[in-house]
Amino acid sequence: MRTFNKAALAASAAMLCVFSFSSAVRAEDTHRPECFSAAPDNAKVIKYEKRDGPYKVAFVNGFAGNDWRVTAIQGAKAWAAREENKAKLSEFTVVSVGNDSAAQIAAIDNFIAAGYDAITFIAVNPTAFSSVIKRAEQAGTVLVPFDNVLDTDAIVQVNENQFELGAMKAEAVVREIEKAKGKVEGSVLEVSGLPGNATDRDNHLGMRSVLDKHPGLKVVQVVGNWDAGTVQKVTADAIATNGNFDGVMVQEGTIGALNAMKNAGHPVVPIGGDAGNGARKLIAEGKYPGLTAAQAPVMSAVALEAAVSLLEGNALPQKVFLPIPNKDNAELKEGTDYFPNLPDTFYTATGYPNCFPVFTPEELLGQTPDNT
């Protein structure tokens, strides 16, 4: 077992974190750019002094009440279970703390105090973590948030372009409305996510950047909390109140919107949704035009890969953007894009092949979402 001189480690962490400022990050400046690609507006390279392994690593999840978060936890555990990663870890711990930023910060602080080398997390909100970032730096703990990231450039963060993800779904819906009507007009439903998160905010802004260009569109927005059951209820209520829509966009929980539409006898209209197995099955069966685009939950594994890479002394862009897995609804194929023999809750975007081999369904479904 390794021992730590906390004072020395804190001093080395403060001195040996290297920040390189530039208008653009060159691929040759960073580790594995085919995986850890810099966001277009990235301005920093972050590098820590190399630390000997094996490492103590934790994943501190917040909210755990939907299929996406379950798969994110399963993906993290599946990554840690692979032999090439297991050898680098002396401890790997996963906890979910609920939608409470104080509880999440307390959990992160506990892992810092316990001498963990790195902590990944999905931030409950984007603004409450400046103090814990400082405490982590003083202790020599590497932090890597992902998905719901922070409004800071002090640490490496892993995400997709959330603004582009929202815009991509809206563009597909608008395109199909114009194809059907010859012009862009009517009413569309926007089902947003969990309020207070950066992901929800940026997805919404991306959708509106497209929709607001078309004055003939009326937009009805409801809050779905990224939960299929909630999405089904709020979609049903929206249809009952507003009548049929000409297009529907959902951040996460698209299967709930589709079930509500089916129960209401709603006509087939363009859908911009997520890549859940159940959603893609219903879209393919009903021949709904549009697009499914994924904020892939196994981004949790890429965040762990980034954390270990930083501990090994490699340089990464401060702001990593992963490619957005997406598919035109008309091109969805059984056995490739959706799986009739797997649960509706299974998330079909199972990895980022530029980073490591994608997970098999068996790898993911073999893991539980429980705390460890």
Side-chain angles (χ1 to χ4, degrees), residues 289-315:
L291 180 90
T292 48
Q295 170 78 341
V298 292
M299 185 185 298
S300 58
V302 182
L304 291 167
E305 189 94 1
V308 170
S309 294
L310 289 166
L311 290 170
E312 292 175 335
N314 297 299

Side-chain angles (χ1 to χ4, degrees), residues 189-193 220-225 231 234-235 237-238 242:
L189 179 65
E190 176 195 348
V191 185
S192 57
V220 176
Q221 182 182 1
V222 294
V223 176
N225 289 339
V231 170
V234 297
T235 301
D237 291 345
N242 299 277

Side-chain angles (χ1 to χ4, degrees), residues 227-233 235-236 253-261 279 282:
D227 171 69
T230 304
V231 170
Q232 182 164 340
K233 181 182 185 306
T235 301
T254 305
I255 188 173
L258 291 162
N259 282 328
M261 293 165 70
L282 290 178

Side-chain angles (χ1 to χ4, degrees), residues 8-19 46-50:
L9 185 57
S12 67
M15 290 188 296
L16 294 170
C17 180
V18 178
F19 300 93
I46 293 183
K47 185 177 187 294
Y48 300 90
E49 183 182 24
K50 181 178 179 180

